Amino acid sequence: MYQGFYNLVSGMLTQSRNLNVISNNMVNVQTPGYKNDTMVATTFQEEMFRRSGRWGNSADQDLITRSKIVTASETYVDYTQGNYDPTGGIYDFALAGNGFFCIRTNDGQTRYTRNGSFAVDQDGYLVLNDQGRVLGANGQPIQIGNEEFSVDSRGRITGRSVTYENGQSQVNVQDFGTLRVVDFVDYDQLHREDNGLFSTDQAALAASEDTQVLWQNLEHSNVDMVEEMTSMMSSQRALQSAAQMLKMYDRIMEKSSVDIGRV
């Protein structure tokens, strides 16, 4: 009887955590570069059930090994590439292939992201949603002098300006820097943080030559809304069923205690 309480309460807690993961996916369905999370559940501390003998313990018999509790094991991140949206925005970037942009956060830490929806701060530095400045290949933040620039597939940002001297126009080309794009050997060691950022202790490697920077594009999140809605309804039903069964267990225990007490 008491084992049912363990099963049901642990099931409710696990489904609540799963709903939190699903809700976060749905909230970020429009966030550029967001990667879908999936919670994986597992059993906890399996135990051996035994049947005792009628006269002493000499006739004990092993019955079955099972767990009384279900719990969240880990959250798996799906790094599958999302579709692209040509935005025309001069500060929008997407990555075609494996890799991450590098961000130096406001506290001086280096973080990684697939979100290329950048902007410029008051000093002309390329930034990500007030999270920090975008790093270049030289490890320093990229400062863009004016809006007259272009970006090639390797992430090199080249500015152009026109000056006039003696009635003649002259086009000046300026190199603002190259976006630093890195990759990692083991994505399982990446830790998701807030605002679409990732951190890791492993060394960052140069991205593959096949990885390209798509200027004036943004990568969509890889969240499938239909799949998330289906998972949410399934999880909600499991949670509600466990809650109803828990009420039934509670009433049975209450009735048993009252009736036995009267006897």
Side-chain angles (χ1 to χ4, degrees), residues 182-237:
V182 300
D183 201 4
F184 300 96
V185 175
D186 186 5
Y187 281 16
D188 290 338
Q189 295 185 34
L190 295 178
H191 174 69
R192 184 192 289 278
E193 300 189 1
D194 295 334
N195 303 300
L197 299 178
F198 292 90
S199 63
T200 182
D201 292 330
Q202 60 183 314
L205 306 176
S208 169
E209 292 292 332
D210 296 332
T211 300
Q212 295 184 350
V213 176
L214 303 181
W215 184 40
Q216 298 184 339
N217 282 264
L218 287 177
E219 180 185 2
H220 286 175
S221 70
N222 61 357
V223 176
D224 187 332
M225 277 297 292
V226 175
E227 182 176 345
E228 294 303 310
M229 287 293 295
T230 303
S231 298
M232 174 171 281
M233 289 187 291
S234 177
S235 189
Q236 285 178 332
R237 290 172 181 172

